[in-house]
Amino acid sequence: MPDTLTPVLTDNWGDDRAWTLAAYTERGGYGALDKAFAMDPAAVIETVKESGLRGRGGAGFPTGMKWGFIPQDNPRPKYLVVNADESEPGTCKDIPLMMASPHTLVEGVIISSYAIRANKAFIYIRGEVLHVVRRVQRAVQEAYLAGHLGKDIHGSGYDLDVVVHAGAGAYICGEETALLEGLEGRRGQPRLRPPFPAVAGLYASPTVINNVESIASVPSIVANGHGWFASMGTEKSKGFGIFSLSGHVRRPGQYEAPLGITLRTLIDLAGGMREGHELKFWTPGGSSTPLLTAEHLDIPLDFEGVGAAGSMLGTRALQIFDDTTCVVRATLRWTEFYKHESCGKCTPCREGTWWLVQVLSALEKGQGSESDLDLLLDQCDNILGRSFCALADGAVSPITSSIQYFRDEYVAHLTEGGCPFDPARSTAWAGQEVLA
Amino acid sequence: MTLSEETLVELKEIAARYPEPRSGLLPMLHLVQSVEGRITPEGIEACAEILGITAADVSGVATFYTMYKRRPVGDYHVGVCTNTLCAVMGGDAIFERLQDHLGVGNDETTDDAPGLRSITLEHVECNAACDYAPVMMANWEFMDNMTPESAVQLVDDLRAGNEVRSTRGPRIVTWREAERVLAGFPDDLADDGPAAGPASLVGLGIARERGWTAPHPETDSGSGRTADTKQEAVEQADTARAETETKQEDSDA
């Protein structure tokens, strides 16, 4: 039974100048690279398959299997694209990873590219994180100078070039085919699949797109073996992951643990809820994953456990809200976000999210009637599953789940003619004036 | 005003980084902003000409992404996260206070005043720093754990030209300088600031305190393989969407 917390990716974040090549090499960094080069690329894919690593960007698709889909008989160049567009509300793990230890990502990029036989890789970082872009640019530059990138890496005969690409502000580009559009210099609008990117991705060539944390997990798997990785986690959700706690807990932050840890344990490690308040609702994996409540404190946070509770593990973005928070306000704000970020390609999403905001805004102000709740649910039903990508599916999640668990609170807005909550009580500084 | 020869050379340099030049368009537009202070018609024309596409194609891209600005941006771009978690934790109050204090609305820029730098204020979406809520961004550098008071101090310092440092990064450069880095022309500030802020290290600190670590590499419990077929993998994966797609693909096959 592994320890409660298992720092692997976060293990060096506290090191002096952890982001530098010197610090990373000092603790054995780039050692997994030689181990990988001593293996056949297919054997590297097999190792990652055997480890059970599932995509850390939200969907949980087996990473090794995704790599295996790259048709090696296709004469076109193959590409690896790292999805570093971390934008899902609540998700804040890849950004600190790239800030503290960009070389973990770069080493992962080299091994993963070698495995799928790509000679060019792209790291697509959202543009709104300047210092992270700097750190990754510098890490790539250092890796070139040290001979970890470029021609004939470590004398292996393998060549790889890496381009760091900054996005320009679009949540939708976290969706892999929209990201490819952005990387091709177009509006970030998702593509219809099939064909899947593995067959026709970047420049219509075979392409693997993986989340930062997935790729960053690869060096440790190669270095320590698939059995080591699989000894952590649960039956079908192997390994470790970064759990990001935010909101009304005493010590929000990053907690790296085997998959399957519970929110009860995590909140306990975080020092509990704020003084004098109780957990009201939370997202297990970002705002696109249906809300859960205090009833769900003991479900295992793995793909199966959260799925069985009616939500999704997503990105392990645990946004914690206490009893001072109005769930209608929270839901309206997320809905406004989805409306703003809808790329406009599919009508149910473009028009639907706009209508959801109209109905929810009225409810939040205490206008309308209880039948509007059914109208909302009906709208959600007409939006879910009817667009190219999952953005609109995500948009309905907070609405349907909040009505499921907090219908009375919606009704209270109507009976009281407005929001019964005082937003000042939810703030980070609430109560501090009194204590001071 | 046309772009300088130097800028045109750099725009071409960006396009040359990619197997297909058009891939350079996003960073090229960042460069246009760094020299022009916004996306200008001249900048659009220059990109179009270099890439051999129409100005309409370039405009289509420039209007899609929110970091590209059609109106002049101030010396500093100040963002306040008002997505749900930050809003609840105080982002709404901060944004309101700053609008009052600066006398501008969302996506507006303060008037030129003698001796003062200008600020463009905008509410932004989740910036991936939720464990530091409420979060602000100054030229896309993290300003963590803000309050209305620290927010006012921040914009006052920026306006007065005082040195301001990101809570997890270097001194704040101007918006134009920041845009140049995003275009792929690094400055020399990568080594400034800490590796991680306090919240990023909370879990690690607890693990160290209690002696918790990942298992030793010798541990081997055999295969962790969780799915043997694509169908099985898709059914285990968390996207109903992927499931329908694969079934569709299989039925097409």
Side-chain angles (χ1 to χ4, degrees), chain A residues 118-139:
Chain A
N119 298 111
K120 187 114 190 166
F122 299 87
I123 304 175
Y124 185 111
I125 310 178
R126 66 182 299 187
E128 302 101 320
V129 287
L130 182 60
H131 205 46
V132 171
V133 172
R134 279 196 193 99
R135 289 260 165 98
V136 178
Q137 285 173 340
R138 172 64 62 85

Side-chain angles (χ1 to χ4, degrees), chain A residues 24-39:
Chain A
Y24 186 66
T25 312
E26 173 74 27
R27 51 158 61 223
Y30 288 100
L33 196 52
D34 287 321
K35 206 171 163 188
F37 285 154
M39 297 161 75

Side-chain angles (χ1 to χ4, degrees), chain A residues 86-110:
Chain A
E86 183 166 67
S87 308
E88 169 72 14
T91 309
C92 49
K93 61 189 178 69
D94 298 337
I95 293 302
L97 190 155
M98 290 185 286
M99 174 119 63
S101 188
H103 283 286
T104 311
L105 176 64
V106 174
E107 186 176 13
V109 165
I110 305 167

Side-chain angles (χ1 to χ4, degrees), chain A residues 46 50 59 165 183 187 203 387, chain B residues 23 60 223-225 238 241:
Chain A
E46 201 53 30
E50 288 291 336
H165 180 98
L183 190 50
R187 294 165 76 88
Y203 314 130
S387 302
Chain B
S23 281
S223 172
R225 190 187 283 259
D238 252 347
R241 175 100 208 145

Side-chain angles (χ1 to χ4, degrees), chain B:
Chain B
M1 197 182 83
T2 53
L3 301 176
S4 72
E5 191 51 41
E6 191 192 343
T7 301
L8 293 175
V9 167
E10 286 182 339
L11 287 172
K12 287 175 194 157
E13 212 177 291
I14 295 172
R17 289 177 200 152
Y18 299 87
E20 295 190 12
R22 183 164 176 172
S23 281
L25 185 51
L26 265 54
M28 287 165 78
L29 290 169
H30 281 305
L31 188 70
V32 166
Q33 296 207 122
S34 86
V35 294
E36 300 270 274
R38 66 183 175 111
I39 299 292
T40 54
E42 293 78 11
I44 288 174
E45 289 290 347
C47 291
E49 202 177 306
I50 289 167
L51 298 177
I53 57 179
T54 66
D57 283 333
V58 177
S59 290
V61 172
T63 51
F64 184 86
Y65 297 91
T66 53
M67 289 177 79
Y68 298 134
K69 304 298 182 190
R70 312 284 285 192
R71 282 174 291 166
V73 172
D75 297 308
Y76 298 98
H77 177 273
V78 171
V80 182
C81 178
T82 58
N83 200 295
T84 300
L85 189 114
C86 275
V88 164
M89 299 297 285
D92 278 356
I94 291 172
F95 187 61
E96 206 170 299
R97 175 78 76 88
L98 287 182
Q99 291 188 81
D100 277 353
H101 183 71
L102 295 171
V104 295
N106 183 44
D107 208 10
E108 291 178 4
T109 304
T110 55
D111 292 331
D112 281 334
L116 288 183
R117 317 286 169 89
S118 57
I119 284 181
T120 300
L121 181 69
E122 190 180 10
H123 70 77
V124 299
E125 298 299 355
C126 185
N127 225 97
C130 318
D131 45 346
Y132 296 93
V135 173
M136 286 178 61
M137 304 302 294
N139 289 339
W140 308 114
E141 303 276 19
F142 288 113
M143 301 302 298
D144 300 324
N145 300 115
M146 299 299 286
T147 65
E149 294 70 36
S150 64
V152 165
Q153 185 68 50
L154 166 69
V155 297
D156 284 352
D157 282 339
L158 289 173
R159 294 201 79 191
N162 299 335
E163 183 176 287
V164 175
R165 303 192 77 85
S166 160
T167 46
R168 271 187 286 161
R171 69 180 165 80
I172 308 296
V173 298
T174 66
W175 181 76
R176 289 186 181 211
E177 289 166 338
E179 282 291 318
R180 185 171 170 82
V181 176
L182 297 178
F185 297 101
D187 54 23
D188 59 354
L189 297 174
D191 285 338
D192 280 27
S200 309
L201 298 172
V202 168
L204 180 64
I206 294 173
R208 292 279 195 271
E209 232 169 69
R210 306 194 186 180
W212 289 340
T213 61
H216 287 290
E218 296 81 53
T219 314
D220 193 333
S221 68
S223 172
R225 190 187 283 259
T226 53
D228 285 321
T229 65
K230 184 178 182 184
Q231 196 71 41
E232 215 181 313
V234 163
E235 273 161 11
Q236 282 174 18
D238 252 347
T239 46
R241 175 100 208 145
E243 199 170 326
T244 27
E245 277 162 354
T246 306
K247 283 178 179 156
Q248 159 116 35
E249 189 186 38
D250 287 352
S251 64
D252 290 349

